[in-house]
Amino acid sequence: MSMETPLYEGKAKSVYQTQNPDELRVVFRNDMTAFNGVKHDQFENKGRFNATASEFFMRLLEEKGVSTHFINRPDPDTMIVKKLQMIPLEVIVRNVAAGSMVKKYPIQEGTVLNPPVVAIDYKDDERGDPMINDEIIFALGILNPEELGAVKKAALRINEILSVFFDEYGIRLVDFKLEFGKAKGAIILGDEISMDSMRLWDKRTGESFDKDVYRFEKGDVMTAYRRVLERIIPGFGG
Ligand SMILES: Nc1ncnc2c1ncn2[C@@H]1O[C@H](COP(=O)(O)OP(=O)(O)OP(=O)(O)O)[C@@H](O)[C@H]1O
Ligand SMILES: [Mg+2]
């Protein structure tokens, strides 16, 4: 627990300014929420599991030439990141129909989406994160066409890298959510890549390894999160 006042306290992470004006400290808390905060609990290890996953995937992306905000992880639940001017969009990439896509549209859960579907929500809890489109993004002055093109291209590239990676470990990357920000004009991946932000299914059994275990009470959610890390990180003991 920190005595400092956070710059921002979200539903799962707390963000602090560091001594360096260009860097932030993001603490992944043990809070778990679903259905826009209606369901709320705390789970031991949750913060460090998601911080561990975020470091792992952001390093993987950096190796493949994708710019991310990740700098280092000084504590199990804490990342130092590049401070970004966040773009208020949730960029969702879907490889398989599930979740809200199945709830909102006439498509059966499990339908393979090829090519993958990119959908963008306007990030605003009070408005219920409404879906947005290119024209509304331009009208609101959130991004210009060139920037939006860069965001979508990055999202699809990230999908390619993560899908191939998970496939090798017997996991299907069903869908995931990204948040981007700007620093000195460049578009950079921010926020997190974790079991909170991805939907992951066991390729063999179809079992969920993500927040759906919590949302729909499919079992012990921290066991599910731990199993992802044990599969993909050599020597992950925690
Ligand atoms: N590099 C960064 N620079 C500045 N802000 C960031 C950076 N990375 C992430 N953020 C922001 O920090 C906050 C992280 O907190 P958290 O994810 O818990 O909150 P939230 O997004 O408001 O709620 P939730 O994700 O649960 O809907 C988010 O507002 C996110 O957009
Ligand atoms: Mg968030």
Side-chain angles (χ1 to χ4, degrees):
M1 205 53 96
S2 176
M3 300 296 281
E4 302 159 67
T5 316
L7 272 185
Y8 181 78
E9 184 126 333
K11 292 198 287 294
K13 305 191 286 305
S14 300
V15 181
Y16 301 86
Q17 185 59 57
T18 66
Q19 313 275 30
N20 182 334
D22 298 329
E23 297 181 3
L24 299 176
R25 191 156 48 84
V26 178
V27 178
F28 288 67
R29 305 194 315 271
N30 286 339
D31 296 279
M32 175 89 94
T33 69
F35 309 116
N36 204 4
V38 172
K39 195 169 149 99
H40 184 201
D41 288 281
Q42 290 220 325
F43 295 99
E44 206 185 330
N45 295 321
K46 194 240 178 192
R48 71 184 180 92
F49 285 178
N50 278 346
T52 300
S54 288
E55 173 185 13
F56 182 85
F57 291 115
M58 291 200 182
R59 285 188 187 279
L60 176 72
L61 293 176
E62 291 278 353
E63 274 171 30
K64 309 269 182 191
V66 177
S67 299
T68 79
H69 69 163
F70 178 78
I71 296 173
N72 58 48
R73 186 164 62 102
D75 288 305
D77 62 352
T78 303
M79 289 193 332
I80 304 298
V81 303
K82 224 173 273 166
K83 184 176 194 166
L84 304 178
Q85 198 190 328
M86 292 308 285
I87 301 163
L89 300 175
E90 300 202 336
V91 181
I92 300 146
V93 184
R94 299 178 179 279
N95 297 302
V96 177
S100 65
M101 178 157 188
V102 171
K103 218 156 80 187
K104 289 189 202 161
Y105 307 106
I107 188 164
Q108 203 176 334
E109 180 176 78
T111 307
V112 172
L113 305 167
N114 190 16
V117 170
V118 178
I120 306 183
D121 289 346
Y122 178 60
K123 191 173 158 70
D124 184 335
D125 278 343
E126 272 164 38
R127 293 185 163 81
D129 297 337
M131 184 160 105
I132 195 166
N133 70 13
D134 295 18
E135 283 75 13
I136 301 174
I137 291 171
F138 305 148
L140 266 53
I142 296 172
L143 294 174
N144 66 38
E146 191 194 333
E147 292 166 332
L148 181 57
V151 163
K152 288 185 186 175
K153 195 174 158 202
L156 287 169
R157 175 73 185 127
I158 291 166
N159 182 46
E160 218 173 85
I161 294 165
L162 297 182
S163 294
V164 167
F165 177 84
F166 277 117
D167 190 67
E168 285 172 17
Y169 291 89
I171 294 173
R172 185 130 84 130
L173 178 59
V174 172
D175 56 43
F176 60 98
K177 184 266 298 179
L178 301 170
E179 290 179 29
F180 292 89
K182 291 189 208 173
K184 294 175 187 137
I187 291 193
I188 292 169
L189 179 68
D191 209 45
E192 66 181 298
I193 303 183
S194 71
M195 289 69 77
D196 275 15
S197 67
M198 296 183 281
R199 191 169 268 120
L200 304 169
W201 292 353
D202 188 292
K203 268 184 4 188
R204 200 168 49 81
T205 65
E207 233 178 316
S208 291
F209 290 142
D210 55 60
K211 201 157 137 179
D212 276 350
V213 176
Y214 172 68
R215 283 193 192 97
F216 306 113
E217 306 188 4
K218 296 181 180 190
D220 184 60
V221 64
M222 283 308 110
T223 301
Y225 280 31
R226 180 191 298 272
R227 283 173 67 191
V228 174
L229 300 176
E230 283 172 348
R231 268 206 214 182
I232 66 173
I233 302 180
F236 180 79

PDB file of all heavy atoms in Angstrom, residues 135-160:
ATOM      1  N   GLU A 135     -15.833   7.633 -38.321  1.00  0.00           N
ATOM      2  CA  GLU A 135     -16.339   8.992 -38.533  1.00  0.00           C
ATOM      3  C   GLU A 135     -16.577   9.709 -37.209  1.00  0.00           C
ATOM      4  O   GLU A 135     -16.319  10.906 -37.100  1.00  0.00           O
ATOM      5  CB  GLU A 135     -17.639   8.968 -39.354  1.00  0.00           C
ATOM      6  CG  GLU A 135     -17.425   8.738 -40.843  1.00  0.00           C
ATOM      7  CD  GLU A 135     -17.076   7.309 -41.229  1.00  0.00           C
ATOM      8  OE1 GLU A 135     -17.233   6.389 -40.370  1.00  0.00           O
ATOM      9  OE2 GLU A 135     -16.642   7.090 -42.368  1.00  0.00           O
ATOM     10  N   ILE A 136     -17.089   8.986 -36.217  1.00  0.00           N
ATOM     11  CA  ILE A 136     -17.332   9.641 -34.915  1.00  0.00           C
ATOM     12  C   ILE A 136     -15.995   9.966 -34.242  1.00  0.00           C
ATOM     13  O   ILE A 136     -15.841  11.022 -33.621  1.00  0.00           O
ATOM     14  CB  ILE A 136     -18.236   8.762 -34.010  1.00  0.00           C
ATOM     15  CG1 ILE A 136     -19.586   8.516 -34.703  1.00  0.00           C
ATOM     16  CG2 ILE A 136     -18.475   9.438 -32.658  1.00  0.00           C
ATOM     17  CD1 ILE A 136     -20.510   7.539 -33.968  1.00  0.00           C
ATOM     18  N   ILE A 137     -15.026   9.079 -34.403  1.00  0.00           N
ATOM     19  CA  ILE A 137     -13.683   9.350 -33.853  1.00  0.00           C
ATOM     20  C   ILE A 137     -13.111  10.635 -34.463  1.00  0.00           C
ATOM     21  O   ILE A 137     -12.573  11.492 -33.759  1.00  0.00           O
ATOM     22  CB  ILE A 137     -12.743   8.145 -34.102  1.00  0.00           C
ATOM     23  CG1 ILE A 137     -13.185   6.959 -33.241  1.00  0.00           C
ATOM     24  CG2 ILE A 137     -11.283   8.520 -33.822  1.00  0.00           C
ATOM     25  CD1 ILE A 137     -12.460   5.644 -33.551  1.00  0.00           C
ATOM     26  N   PHE A 138     -13.293  10.808 -35.775  1.00  0.00           N
ATOM     27  CA  PHE A 138     -12.789  12.038 -36.431  1.00  0.00           C
ATOM     28  C   PHE A 138     -13.605  13.249 -35.974  1.00  0.00           C
ATOM     29  O   PHE A 138     -13.053  14.311 -35.688  1.00  0.00           O
ATOM     30  CB  PHE A 138     -12.855  11.914 -37.964  1.00  0.00           C
ATOM     31  CG  PHE A 138     -12.138  10.697 -38.516  1.00  0.00           C
ATOM     32  CD1 PHE A 138     -12.610  10.063 -39.664  1.00  0.00           C
ATOM     33  CD2 PHE A 138     -11.015  10.185 -37.877  1.00  0.00           C
ATOM     34  CE1 PHE A 138     -11.959   8.942 -40.174  1.00  0.00           C
ATOM     35  CE2 PHE A 138     -10.367   9.060 -38.380  1.00  0.00           C
ATOM     36  CZ  PHE A 138     -10.837   8.434 -39.521  1.00  0.00           C
ATOM     37  N   ALA A 139     -14.935  13.083 -35.912  1.00  0.00           N
ATOM     38  CA  ALA A 139     -15.819  14.197 -35.529  1.00  0.00           C
ATOM     39  C   ALA A 139     -15.504  14.687 -34.118  1.00  0.00           C
ATOM     40  O   ALA A 139     -15.563  15.887 -33.841  1.00  0.00           O
ATOM     41  CB  ALA A 139     -17.282  13.765 -35.622  1.00  0.00           C
ATOM     42  N   LEU A 140     -15.161  13.755 -33.221  1.00  0.00           N
ATOM     43  CA  LEU A 140     -14.828  14.128 -31.848  1.00  0.00           C
ATOM     44  C   LEU A 140     -13.389  14.637 -31.720  1.00  0.00           C
ATOM     45  O   LEU A 140     -12.973  15.055 -30.640  1.00  0.00           O
ATOM     46  CB  LEU A 140     -15.035  12.915 -30.917  1.00  0.00           C
ATOM     47  CG  LEU A 140     -16.390  12.780 -30.211  1.00  0.00           C
ATOM     48  CD1 LEU A 140     -17.553  12.843 -31.179  1.00  0.00           C
ATOM     49  CD2 LEU A 140     -16.458  11.479 -29.417  1.00  0.00           C
ATOM     50  N   GLY A 141     -12.628  14.545 -32.806  1.00  0.00           N
ATOM     51  CA  GLY A 141     -11.243  15.004 -32.781  1.00  0.00           C
ATOM     52  C   GLY A 141     -10.330  14.119 -31.945  1.00  0.00           C
ATOM     53  O   GLY A 141      -9.302  14.571 -31.443  1.00  0.00           O
ATOM     54  N   ILE A 142     -10.707  12.851 -31.784  1.00  0.00           N
ATOM     55  CA  ILE A 142      -9.894  11.945 -30.962  1.00  0.00           C
ATOM     56  C   ILE A 142      -8.617  11.560 -31.715  1.00  0.00           C
ATOM     57  O   ILE A 142      -7.525  11.561 -31.142  1.00  0.00           O
ATOM     58  CB  ILE A 142     -10.714  10.694 -30.560  1.00  0.00           C
ATOM     59  CG1 ILE A 142     -11.891  11.106 -29.665  1.00  0.00           C
ATOM     60  CG2 ILE A 142      -9.825   9.658 -29.864  1.00  0.00           C
ATOM     61  CD1 ILE A 142     -12.884   9.985 -29.374  1.00  0.00           C
ATOM     62  N   LEU A 143      -8.765  11.216 -32.974  1.00  0.00           N
ATOM     63  CA  LEU A 143      -7.620  10.856 -33.830  1.00  0.00           C
ATOM     64  C   LEU A 143      -7.916  11.351 -35.234  1.00  0.00           C
ATOM     65  O   LEU A 143      -9.084  11.526 -35.609  1.00  0.00           O
ATOM     66  CB  LEU A 143      -7.447   9.325 -33.885  1.00  0.00           C
ATOM     67  CG  LEU A 143      -7.049   8.586 -32.614  1.00  0.00           C
ATOM     68  CD1 LEU A 143      -7.083   7.077 -32.863  1.00  0.00           C
ATOM     69  CD2 LEU A 143      -5.650   9.004 -32.140  1.00  0.00           C
ATOM     70  N   ASN A 144      -6.869  11.537 -36.042  1.00  0.00           N
ATOM     71  CA  ASN A 144      -7.090  11.809 -37.458  1.00  0.00           C
ATOM     72  C   ASN A 144      -6.991  10.487 -38.229  1.00  0.00           C
ATOM     73  O   ASN A 144      -6.589   9.470 -37.645  1.00  0.00           O
ATOM     74  CB  ASN A 144      -6.127  12.895 -37.974  1.00  0.00           C
ATOM     75  CG  ASN A 144      -4.665  12.444 -37.952  1.00  0.00           C
ATOM     76  OD1 ASN A 144      -4.358  11.282 -38.236  1.00  0.00           O
ATOM     77  ND2 ASN A 144      -3.766  13.353 -37.608  1.00  0.00           N
ATOM     78  N   PRO A 145      -7.386  10.465 -39.483  1.00  0.00           N
ATOM     79  CA  PRO A 145      -7.412   9.196 -40.230  1.00  0.00           C
ATOM     80  C   PRO A 145      -6.065   8.460 -40.241  1.00  0.00           C
ATOM     81  O   PRO A 145      -6.029   7.233 -40.124  1.00  0.00           O
ATOM     82  CB  PRO A 145      -7.819   9.632 -41.642  1.00  0.00           C
ATOM     83  CG  PRO A 145      -8.637  10.864 -41.434  1.00  0.00           C
ATOM     84  CD  PRO A 145      -8.000  11.569 -40.273  1.00  0.00           C
ATOM     85  N   GLU A 146      -5.005   9.208 -40.350  1.00  0.00           N
ATOM     86  CA  GLU A 146      -3.682   8.576 -40.378  1.00  0.00           C
ATOM     87  C   GLU A 146      -3.384   7.886 -39.040  1.00  0.00           C
ATOM     88  O   GLU A 146      -2.917   6.739 -38.996  1.00  0.00           O
ATOM     89  CB  GLU A 146      -2.637   9.657 -40.662  1.00  0.00           C
ATOM     90  CG  GLU A 146      -1.262   9.128 -40.990  1.00  0.00           C
ATOM     91  CD  GLU A 146      -0.212  10.239 -40.928  1.00  0.00           C
ATOM     92  OE1 GLU A 146      -0.579  11.421 -41.146  1.00  0.00           O
ATOM     93  OE2 GLU A 146       0.952   9.920 -40.637  1.00  0.00           O
ATOM     94  N   GLU A 147      -3.702   8.570 -37.958  1.00  0.00           N
ATOM     95  CA  GLU A 147      -3.468   8.004 -36.618  1.00  0.00           C
ATOM     96  C   GLU A 147      -4.348   6.778 -36.380  1.00  0.00           C
ATOM     97  O   GLU A 147      -3.886   5.772 -35.834  1.00  0.00           O
ATOM     98  CB  GLU A 147      -3.764   9.053 -35.541  1.00  0.00           C
ATOM     99  CG  GLU A 147      -2.788  10.199 -35.528  1.00  0.00           C
ATOM    100  CD  GLU A 147      -3.283  11.392 -34.701  1.00  0.00           C
ATOM    101  OE1 GLU A 147      -4.519  11.593 -34.577  1.00  0.00           O
ATOM    102  OE2 GLU A 147      -2.426  12.129 -34.198  1.00  0.00           O
ATOM    103  N   LEU A 148      -5.608   6.868 -36.793  1.00  0.00           N
ATOM    104  CA  LEU A 148      -6.504   5.726 -36.592  1.00  0.00           C
ATOM    105  C   LEU A 148      -6.009   4.524 -37.404  1.00  0.00           C
ATOM    106  O   LEU A 148      -6.056   3.387 -36.935  1.00  0.00           O
ATOM    107  CB  LEU A 148      -7.945   6.082 -36.975  1.00  0.00           C
ATOM    108  CG  LEU A 148      -8.970   4.968 -36.785  1.00  0.00           C
ATOM    109  CD1 LEU A 148      -9.005   4.459 -35.343  1.00  0.00           C
ATOM    110  CD2 LEU A 148     -10.370   5.432 -37.214  1.00  0.00           C
ATOM    111  N   GLY A 149      -5.513   4.808 -38.598  1.00  0.00           N
ATOM    112  CA  GLY A 149      -4.918   3.744 -39.417  1.00  0.00           C
ATOM    113  C   GLY A 149      -3.763   3.078 -38.685  1.00  0.00           C
ATOM    114  O   GLY A 149      -3.646   1.837 -38.663  1.00  0.00           O
ATOM    115  N   ALA A 150      -2.925   3.888 -38.049  1.00  0.00           N
ATOM    116  CA  ALA A 150      -1.768   3.359 -37.309  1.00  0.00           C
ATOM    117  C   ALA A 150      -2.230   2.520 -36.120  1.00  0.00           C
ATOM    118  O   ALA A 150      -1.645   1.468 -35.817  1.00  0.00           O
ATOM    119  CB  ALA A 150      -0.863   4.498 -36.861  1.00  0.00           C
ATOM    120  N   VAL A 151      -3.282   2.964 -35.448  1.00  0.00           N
ATOM    121  CA  VAL A 151      -3.806   2.227 -34.292  1.00  0.00           C
ATOM    122  C   VAL A 151      -4.321   0.861 -34.736  1.00  0.00           C
ATOM    123  O   VAL A 151      -4.005  -0.174 -34.133  1.00  0.00           O
ATOM    124  CB  VAL A 151      -4.928   3.039 -33.585  1.00  0.00           C
ATOM    125  CG1 VAL A 151      -5.757   2.163 -32.670  1.00  0.00           C
ATOM    126  CG2 VAL A 151      -4.318   4.204 -32.811  1.00  0.00           C
ATOM    127  N   LYS A 152      -5.101   0.839 -35.806  1.00  0.00           N
ATOM    128  CA  LYS A 152      -5.672  -0.440 -36.264  1.00  0.00           C
ATOM    129  C   LYS A 152      -4.579  -1.386 -36.757  1.00  0.00           C
ATOM    130  O   LYS A 152      -4.633  -2.594 -36.500  1.00  0.00           O
ATOM    131  CB  LYS A 152      -6.673  -0.196 -37.398  1.00  0.00           C
ATOM    132  CG  LYS A 152      -7.971   0.430 -36.937  1.00  0.00           C
ATOM    133  CD  LYS A 152      -8.936   0.501 -38.116  1.00  0.00           C
ATOM    134  CE  LYS A 152     -10.197   1.251 -37.765  1.00  0.00           C
ATOM    135  NZ  LYS A 152     -11.075   1.415 -38.947  1.00  0.00           N
ATOM    136  N   LYS A 153      -3.600  -0.819 -37.458  1.00  0.00           N
ATOM    137  CA  LYS A 153      -2.497  -1.644 -37.960  1.00  0.00           C
ATOM    138  C   LYS A 153      -1.719  -2.255 -36.794  1.00  0.00           C
ATOM    139  O   LYS A 153      -1.393  -3.446 -36.801  1.00  0.00           O
ATOM    140  CB  LYS A 153      -1.574  -0.771 -38.827  1.00  0.00           C
ATOM    141  CG  LYS A 153      -0.623  -1.558 -39.689  1.00  0.00           C
ATOM    142  CD  LYS A 153       0.160  -0.663 -40.631  1.00  0.00           C
ATOM    143  CE  LYS A 153       1.432  -1.412 -41.039  1.00  0.00           C
ATOM    144  NZ  LYS A 153       2.491  -0.527 -41.514  1.00  0.00           N
ATOM    145  N   ALA A 154      -1.460  -1.456 -35.772  1.00  0.00           N
ATOM    146  CA  ALA A 154      -0.746  -1.958 -34.588  1.00  0.00           C
ATOM    147  C   ALA A 154      -1.568  -3.048 -33.904  1.00  0.00           C
ATOM    148  O   ALA A 154      -1.041  -4.087 -33.494  1.00  0.00           O
ATOM    149  CB  ALA A 154      -0.442  -0.812 -33.627  1.00  0.00           C
ATOM    150  N   ALA A 155      -2.879  -2.826 -33.797  1.00  0.00           N
ATOM    151  CA  ALA A 155      -3.744  -3.809 -33.107  1.00  0.00           C
ATOM    152  C   ALA A 155      -3.712  -5.150 -33.849  1.00  0.00           C
ATOM    153  O   ALA A 155      -3.635  -6.211 -33.214  1.00  0.00           O
ATOM    154  CB  ALA A 155      -5.165  -3.268 -33.010  1.00  0.00           C
ATOM    155  N   LEU A 156      -3.756  -5.103 -35.154  1.00  0.00           N
ATOM    156  CA  LEU A 156      -3.742  -6.355 -35.927  1.00  0.00           C
ATOM    157  C   LEU A 156      -2.381  -7.041 -35.871  1.00  0.00           C
ATOM    158  O   LEU A 156      -2.294  -8.271 -35.819  1.00  0.00           O
ATOM    159  CB  LEU A 156      -4.161  -6.085 -37.385  1.00  0.00           C
ATOM    160  CG  LEU A 156      -5.657  -5.795 -37.546  1.00  0.00           C
ATOM    161  CD1 LEU A 156      -5.962  -5.271 -38.938  1.00  0.00           C
ATOM    162  CD2 LEU A 156      -6.490  -7.056 -37.240  1.00  0.00           C
ATOM    163  N   ARG A 157      -1.333  -6.247 -35.864  1.00  0.00           N
ATOM    164  CA  ARG A 157       0.019  -6.810 -35.730  1.00  0.00           C
ATOM    165  C   ARG A 157       0.180  -7.485 -34.353  1.00  0.00           C
ATOM    166  O   ARG A 157       0.713  -8.585 -34.238  1.00  0.00           O
ATOM    167  CB  ARG A 157       1.049  -5.689 -35.920  1.00  0.00           C
ATOM    168  CG  ARG A 157       2.482  -6.111 -35.698  1.00  0.00           C
ATOM    169  CD  ARG A 157       3.010  -6.974 -36.830  1.00  0.00           C
ATOM    170  NE  ARG A 157       4.359  -7.458 -36.519  1.00  0.00           N
ATOM    171  CZ  ARG A 157       4.729  -8.738 -36.554  1.00  0.00           C
ATOM    172  NH1 ARG A 157       3.863  -9.682 -36.883  1.00  0.00           N
ATOM    173  NH2 ARG A 157       5.967  -9.083 -36.269  1.00  0.00           N
ATOM    174  N   ILE A 158      -0.320  -6.828 -33.321  1.00  0.00           N
ATOM    175  CA  ILE A 158      -0.262  -7.388 -31.964  1.00  0.00           C
ATOM    176  C   ILE A 158      -1.059  -8.694 -31.927  1.00  0.00           C
ATOM    177  O   ILE A 158      -0.630  -9.685 -31.334  1.00  0.00           O
ATOM    178  CB  ILE A 158      -0.780  -6.349 -30.938  1.00  0.00           C
ATOM    179  CG1 ILE A 158       0.208  -5.180 -30.841  1.00  0.00           C
ATOM    180  CG2 ILE A 158      -1.016  -6.993 -29.565  1.00  0.00           C
ATOM    181  CD1 ILE A 158      -0.322  -3.932 -30.137  1.00  0.00           C
ATOM    182  N   ASN A 159      -2.199  -8.692 -32.592  1.00  0.00           N
ATOM    183  CA  ASN A 159      -3.021  -9.907 -32.638  1.00  0.00           C
ATOM    184  C   ASN A 159      -2.259 -11.065 -33.286  1.00  0.00           C
ATOM    185  O   ASN A 159      -2.302 -12.198 -32.786  1.00  0.00           O
ATOM    186  CB  ASN A 159      -4.310  -9.636 -33.410  1.00  0.00           C
ATOM    187  CG  ASN A 159      -5.220 -10.850 -33.443  1.00  0.00           C
ATOM    188  OD1 ASN A 159      -5.438 -11.503 -32.426  1.00  0.00           O
ATOM    189  ND2 ASN A 159      -5.734 -11.179 -34.630  1.00  0.00           N
ATOM    190  N   GLU A 160      -1.568 -10.746 -34.367  1.00  0.00           N
ATOM    191  CA  GLU A 160      -0.802 -11.778 -35.063  1.00  0.00           C
ATOM    192  C   GLU A 160       0.271 -12.372 -34.139  1.00  0.00           C
ATOM    193  O   GLU A 160       0.389 -13.592 -34.012  1.00  0.00           O
ATOM    194  CB  GLU A 160      -0.108 -11.103 -36.242  1.00  0.00           C
ATOM    195  CG  GLU A 160       0.000 -11.861 -37.515  1.00  0.00           C
ATOM    196  CD  GLU A 160       0.565 -10.912 -38.577  1.00  0.00           C
ATOM    197  OE1 GLU A 160       1.802 -10.778 -38.661  1.00  0.00           O
ATOM    198  OE2 GLU A 160      -0.251 -10.277 -39.276  1.00  0.00           O
TER     199      GLU A 160
END
